[in-house]
Amino acid sequence: GNLLPKQQGAPLSVTGGNRNYCAPEWASYAGPEPGRPRQPVDAGYDMWALGCLLSELATLKLVPNRMMSYRPLAADAAALTEVRNDMAVVHQGLFADLGLQLLCLDPDDRISADQARRLFDSLQQRVGSSVHTPKDEKF
C-alpha cells in the first residue's frame, strides 16, 4: 500500500501493492537501484491504475489473468495490446479512448484526473442519464 507523507506536499512512497498494476515509470524495477532514485508516486501513477481497473470492469477480465508471470502490465507488451484491443471492441468501443489515454506508457502524455473526469462526463452524455455522476464533487 501507500504510506502517507509526513509533510504536506511530500511524495508518497510505495511499500506494497500489486505489481501487475504498477505504472510503467515504476515497472522496470521493484526497488531503488544504486544511483537511481525511486520516482515519486503522483497522480499519473493513479491514472495508470485507474486504466487497469477500467479495463477489468469493461472487459470482465482481470489484468493478472492476462499474463503468464507476476509482472507489471506495462512490462508485458502482448498483455497490454490485448487489453487495448479488448477495450476497442467491448461496449462498441465506448471506453476505448479513455482506456488508451489512461494506459499511456509515457507518464507525461497520460491524462490527468480532471481530464479523466471530463471524459467520464462525456461518456455519461453518450449513454444517457442511467449513469450517475455527482456534478458537485471534485475528482
Side-chain angles (χ1 to χ4, degrees):
N2 291 336
L3 294 178
L4 294 176
K6 293 181 181 179
Q7 302 168 353
Q8 186 175 2
L12 296 174
S13 62
V14 174
T15 59
N18 188 320
R19 281 186 54 83
N20 295 127
Y21 302 92
C22 186
E25 54 270 29
W26 278 69
S28 61
Y29 59 97
E33 297 173 4
R36 183 177 176 191
R38 200 178 266 252
Q39 297 283 343
V41 174
D42 60 12
Y45 190 97
D46 293 334
M47 293 299 97
W48 175 269
L50 180 59
C52 291
L53 295 172
L54 177 66
S55 77
E56 291 180 333
L57 291 170
T59 66
L60 300 178
K61 294 180 183 178
L62 295 175
V63 166
N65 291 352
R66 295 175 181 270
M67 295 175 281
M68 298 300 290
S69 65
Y70 185 65
R71 62 183 180 165
L73 174 64
D76 189 326
L80 182 57
T81 297
E82 180 184 329
V83 166
R84 289 175 173 164
N85 289 342
D86 285 353
M87 294 286 284
V89 175
V90 297
H91 309 291
Q92 293 81 41
L94 184 66
F95 300 104
D97 187 44
L98 179 59
L100 284 174
Q101 292 187 56
L102 289 169
L103 294 175
C104 182
L105 290 171
D106 185 340
D108 294 330
D109 293 335
R110 203 171 301 136
I111 62 172
S112 68
D114 287 335
Q115 291 167 316
R117 173 63 184 260
R118 285 192 290 275
L119 282 171
F120 273 116
D121 286 345
S122 69
L123 289 175
Q124 180 183 3
Q125 291 174 1
R126 285 177 60 189
V127 298
S129 61
S130 63
V131 178
H132 173 68
T133 304
K135 298 290 183 194
D136 57 338
E137 294 181 21
K138 294 196 181 236
F139 236 100

